[in-house]
Amino acid sequence: MRETEDLIIDKCIKWIDKGTYKPNKKLPSENELADKLEVPRMVVRRAYERLDLMGYSYSKQGKGRFVRSRKNKISLILSGRESFTDKIEGLGHKLDTRLISVKKIDYNEDVYNALVAEPQDTVYRISRLRIVNNEPMAIHTSYVSANIFPQLIKDSEKIKSMFEYHARQGYTNLISSSSILYIAYPSAKERKLLNCQALVPLLRLESSCIDKDTGRVLEYTVIKYRGDCFDYVIG
């Protein structure tokens, strides 16, 4: 039966991509699709539930299931030469930033190595929610050393762009390390923050920001972008 569910999902995605069923338009009822494909209604229901989790559809109580709009994605250039703030505002979108948390972290070998920090150094983690056109679309988590930014916790409420914050501290000639990209899926906390379903993929990007003049690693960053909100351009 799972194979049958997968086939139904494939058919529905094909219909949606071809425009047979357009955004915010109603999909066939469970009974209609079950009759058309000659499968039990429960199989269609499970397939539709998975489509919901994947971000392709949504249900209205007593009205049926509808195609979720996936149009008007934002074209995001994945390069470290410009801040997310500048990219989004430069495209004419409204951007709000909400501080999620900022705190000292316990020793983490991967993070400390990325920052070229010693085990005894203090490292802060600052996480921010990026809200574009009133829709939560990304979580930015930055790790920085207190040796470089001792005032980070005090300044954190006012930080909208880490690039801008670095510049205020005198670091203006910035370069990015090679980035690591892979697909992840949101945790329960991330689903709540991003207002997305469990099977909506997140593009996870890891990179370091380096001051070209001194060679200092200013920041190690992990960014999680909602996969249904952006088209990604490798810059």
Side-chain angles (χ1 to χ4, degrees), residues 83-90 95 97 128 130 160-161:
S83 71
F84 181 81
T85 298
D86 289 342
K87 291 173 187 175
I88 295 300
E89 292 183 345
L95 174 66
T97 299
R128 295 164 297 141
R130 310 292 249 166
K160 302 300 181 185
S161 163

Side-chain angles (χ1 to χ4, degrees), residues 90-149:
L91 291 170
H93 299 287
K94 176 188 175 185
L95 174 66
D96 295 309
T97 299
R98 192 180 89 204
L99 181 67
I100 299 171
S101 66
V102 56
K103 66 177 183 178
K104 175 185 173 182
I105 67 167
D106 294 330
Y107 175 75
N108 179 293
E109 184 177 3
D110 292 338
V111 172
Y112 274 66
N113 285 345
L115 289 172
V116 196
E118 298 296 329
Q120 68 271 17
D121 292 342
T122 295
V123 170
Y124 297 128
R125 180 184 67 217
I126 175 170
S127 296
R128 295 164 297 141
L129 182 66
R130 310 292 249 166
I131 304 166
V132 183
N133 301 329
N134 300 315
E135 181 77 15
M137 292 190 181
I139 298 172
H140 282 211
T141 300
S142 299
Y143 298 88
V144 300
S145 172
N147 291 338
I148 300 177
F149 301 115

Side-chain angles (χ1 to χ4, degrees), residues 16 22-28 30 47-70 197:
I16 292 169
K22 298 186 181 300
N24 300 312
K25 297 301 181 181
K26 189 176 179 180
L27 288 164
E30 293 173 7
Y48 270 169
E49 288 172 349
R50 287 171 61 196
L51 273 178
D52 287 354
L53 293 175
M54 294 167 71
Y56 279 94
S57 60
Y58 63 96
S59 60
K60 291 183 180 180
Q61 186 67 34
K63 294 185 177 180
R65 191 165 262 100
F66 297 78
V67 177
R68 186 178 296 279
S69 176
R70 299 169 64 86
Q197 297 287 355

Side-chain angles (χ1 to χ4, degrees), residues 29-43:
S29 71
E30 293 173 7
N31 284 332
E32 289 170 341
L33 193 54
D35 289 343
K36 180 176 181 178
L37 301 179
E38 298 181 345
V39 297
R41 178 184 173 185
M42 186 55 65
V43 175

Side-chain angles (χ1 to χ4, degrees), residues 78 108 110-111 139 141 143 178-187 190 200-207 220-227 232 234:
L78 295 178
N108 179 293
D110 292 338
V111 172
I139 298 172
T141 300
Y143 298 88
S178 297
S179 298
I180 299 173
L181 295 171
Y182 60 91
I183 298 297
Y185 289 92
S187 65
E190 289 166 345
V200 170
L202 305 181
L203 181 70
R204 177 181 169 120
L205 184 151
E206 301 177 13
S207 63
Y220 168 64
T221 306
V222 177
I223 308 173
K224 295 180 180 180
Y225 299 104
R226 269 179 52 178
Y232 304 101
I234 307 300

